[in-house]
Amino acid sequence: MAAGPLADLSGGIIVMQADDEASAQRLVEQDPYTQHGVTKDRTLHEWKVTVGSLAG
């Protein structure tokens, strides 16, 4: 997983690896920032890696 704020601090991005959207949603719901209301608006998008690797 990788995460951080946008340079202009208008939001942030989290890149995570999950088997499917439901699994990704569960990961987001378990995130402390989500549980404590720090992140109020979020949208999940599938991202297909075409260069590099997120294998770890």
Side-chain angles (χ1 to χ4, degrees):
M1 179 176 356
L6 298 173
D8 66 1
L9 302 179
S10 65
I13 295 175
I14 300 172
V15 178
M16 66 178 75
Q17 199 166 10
D19 293 330
D20 53 35
E21 188 174 343
S23 296
Q25 183 63 44
R26 284 192 295 276
L27 287 171
V28 170
E29 289 169 359
Q30 294 170 6
D31 179 71
Y33 280 15
T34 298
Q35 292 178 347
H36 295 287
V38 175
T39 56
K40 295 181 171 94
D41 298 319
R42 62 185 178 274
T43 306
L44 294 176
H45 294 277
E46 182 177 2
W47 178 48
K48 295 184 186 254
V49 178
T50 57
V51 176
S53 173
L54 293 177

